[in-house]
Amino acid sequence: MPERNEAVLEFLHGRRSRPAKTLKAPVPNADDLRQLLTAAARSPDHGKLEPWRFIVIEREQLLKVSNLAREQGEKLGMDPDKLNKAVAAFADANLVVAVVGSPKPSEKIPKREQVLSAGAVCLALLNAALAAGWGANWLTGFTAYDEDFCNRVYGLAPTEFIAGFLHIGTESSAPPERPRPNIDAITSWIEV
């Protein structure tokens, strides 16, 4: 029988993201953040390509990003309510880590696996922050998907993409309750 780590299992069973709008200062200091990023970097990475990288965005830069997001959203003719929500995600934040998917040319490792590895890094960073006692949330939105905006603001290479923005901070209020996932929807293997 394998050795169980009950504390980790208990954490995973009760794990919940915290709404980004409830996250306030203080945020992890440089040493704490390095520990969280190191834990996230332990994600599955077939071929040891590290097909991702991190951009740490602190308060001053977040205000700039929020202004640029407003400009881009207005240029795109976005619905004002959706745009205000996207802008507030940066304007109200104190620390955001952008996880950049950065697929590498490889004959052995398909691009799809590299993209999934970037997603795994996002979840690992989210879980590391929560396990360390911080509040955290993984967001995307038009500021992650608009290529012009991403290239201009984050300096992405043509093959790169934003896998997610990880908001990390101190919870100002408890998250609202919500139903847990329905695991009764499991499908078992069927013979063909």
Side-chain angles (χ1 to χ4, degrees):
M1 187 71 161
E3 185 176 328
R4 293 170 59 91
N5 189 325
E6 294 296 336
V8 172
L9 288 170
E10 183 178 341
F11 165 77
L12 291 172
H13 286 166
R15 188 213 73 76
R16 319 220 4 214
S17 297
R18 304 308 195 241
K21 62 186 174 186
T22 68
L23 303 178
K24 306 297 178 205
V27 298
N29 63 33
D31 290 336
D32 291 337
L33 185 57
R34 179 170 285 284
Q35 287 184 347
L36 300 178
L37 297 176
T38 299
R42 297 289 303 180
S43 294
D45 171 18
H46 303 159
K48 300 178 185 168
L49 295 177
E50 295 182 12
W52 33 259
R53 61 188 177 90
F54 303 109
I55 300 174
V56 176
I57 313 170
E58 296 178 298
R59 183 73 185 136
E60 186 176 319
Q61 293 82 22
L62 287 163
L63 293 174
K64 291 177 184 176
V65 172
S66 71
N67 291 331
L68 293 168
R70 180 167 302 285
E71 289 174 17
Q72 184 70 5
E74 289 172 352
K75 180 178 159 186
L76 295 171
M78 283 183 66
D79 172 85
D81 290 336
K82 289 182 180 178
L83 178 56
N84 288 337
K85 184 176 179 182
V87 168
F90 292 101
D92 297 343
N94 290 288
L95 176 67
V96 173
V97 177
V99 176
V100 178
S102 186
K104 309 290 189 284
S106 174
E107 292 181 15
K108 290 176 53 179
I109 312 302
K111 181 179 176 183
R112 177 183 292 201
E113 288 187 21
Q114 297 183 52
V115 169
L116 293 171
S117 181
V121 167
C122 290
L123 181 59
L125 180 54
L126 177 69
N127 282 338
L130 293 170
W134 299 102
N137 198 305
W138 172 7
L139 299 176
T140 54
F142 96 92
T143 56
Y145 303 137
D146 184 273
E147 288 183 24
D148 178 50
F149 183 80
C150 289
N151 294 340
R152 186 166 48 99
V153 175
Y154 310 115
L156 302 187
T159 58
E160 293 184 319
F161 62 95
I162 297 292
F165 298 109
L166 281 293
H167 293 246
I168 305 171
T170 301
E171 289 182 75
S172 63
S173 60
E177 284 301 320
R178 66 173 180 82
R180 300 311 302 158
N182 177 9
I183 63 165
D184 294 331
I186 295 173
T187 302
S188 297
W189 176 263
I190 56 172
E191 294 295 325
V192 282

